[in-house]
Amino acid sequence: MSRIFTALRNLVRPRGFVGRDLQGNTFFEYPNPNAPHKTKRSVEYVDPESYIGGKAQWYAWLTFTRNNPPTIEELQADIRRRQNLARNVALLEERDRQEQILMEQQRQTQTLVSEPKPDPEPPLNPQATETSNPWAQGSTGDFQPESWSPQSSIRRGS
């Protein structure tokens, strides 16, 4: 039963030429003799050396991600979408560049207007800072550490 269904499906499926992309590359679909339930899809490039990469729609069709080949209208709509995207990106980059220039100008005017801050004054009593330093005690030769014995803590809840 499956062979009859496969034979009927192969009669309905297009054989040979399927379509062209906007660069003139031609796409084909042939019955696969090794797997009758699946077809082979291929492309003939106009200039294989200069061909960088195809459109996503044709690539999806070649890899069986989509069943039907893309239409010319779909490819043209994708080109318009890319052009709009490129224009919008250029507008955003220009706006960001203008904002950077404006921020830099504001930063420069703020530094010119603001007064320089005075240096902090040194302490009036240098000995007061020495006694408040806990490490200063160890710098004298007569320092002796005190003994320390930790107290055990009482466990709660056991």
Side-chain angles (χ1 to χ4, degrees):
M1 188 68 154
S2 66
R3 287 182 185 235
I4 296 171
F5 180 71
T6 303
L8 288 174
R9 188 172 58 203
N10 285 339
L11 289 174
V12 175
R13 280 194 176 167
R15 295 177 188 221
F17 178 76
V18 174
R20 278 196 173 88
D21 64 2
L22 299 175
Q23 288 80 27
N25 302 316
T26 53
F27 294 85
F28 300 93
E29 184 174 34
Y30 302 103
N32 189 349
N34 298 330
H37 63 281
K38 201 169 185 181
T39 59
K40 286 186 172 187
R41 295 177 178 176
S42 64
V43 59
E44 286 184 10
Y45 300 111
V46 173
D47 188 11
E49 286 82 24
S50 66
Y51 189 71
I52 296 171
K55 298 291 182 195
Q57 294 91 348
W58 278 111
Y59 181 76
W61 179 79
L62 282 172
T63 58
F64 295 94
T65 305
R66 64 184 287 169
N67 294 327
N68 300 323
T71 62
I72 295 294
E73 293 82 19
E74 185 180 352
L75 297 172
Q76 290 171 344
D78 186 51
I79 287 177
R80 285 191 302 274
R81 183 191 61 82
R82 288 179 189 224
Q83 289 171 346
N84 288 338
L85 181 66
R87 187 180 69 242
N88 290 340
V89 166
L91 290 173
L92 287 173
E93 287 176 348
E94 178 63 25
R95 187 182 72 187
D96 288 346
R97 190 177 64 77
Q98 292 295 332
E99 286 178 3
Q100 289 292 331
I101 291 171
L102 182 64
M103 288 174 53
E104 186 62 34
Q105 289 173 350
Q106 289 175 349
R107 194 176 302 126
Q108 288 175 356
T109 57
Q110 286 177 353
T111 56
L112 294 176
V113 172
S114 65
E115 298 177 8
K117 295 181 179 178
D119 293 334
E121 295 183 16
L124 298 176
N125 187 359
Q127 290 181 355
T129 58
E130 289 179 13
T131 57
S132 65
N133 185 357
W135 300 106
Q137 293 177 354
S139 62
T140 61
D142 60 343
F143 174 75
Q144 292 294 321
E146 297 176 7
S147 64
W148 179 70
S149 58
Q151 295 179 358
S152 61
S153 62
I154 298 173
R155 290 179 119 181
R156 295 181 183 163
S158 46

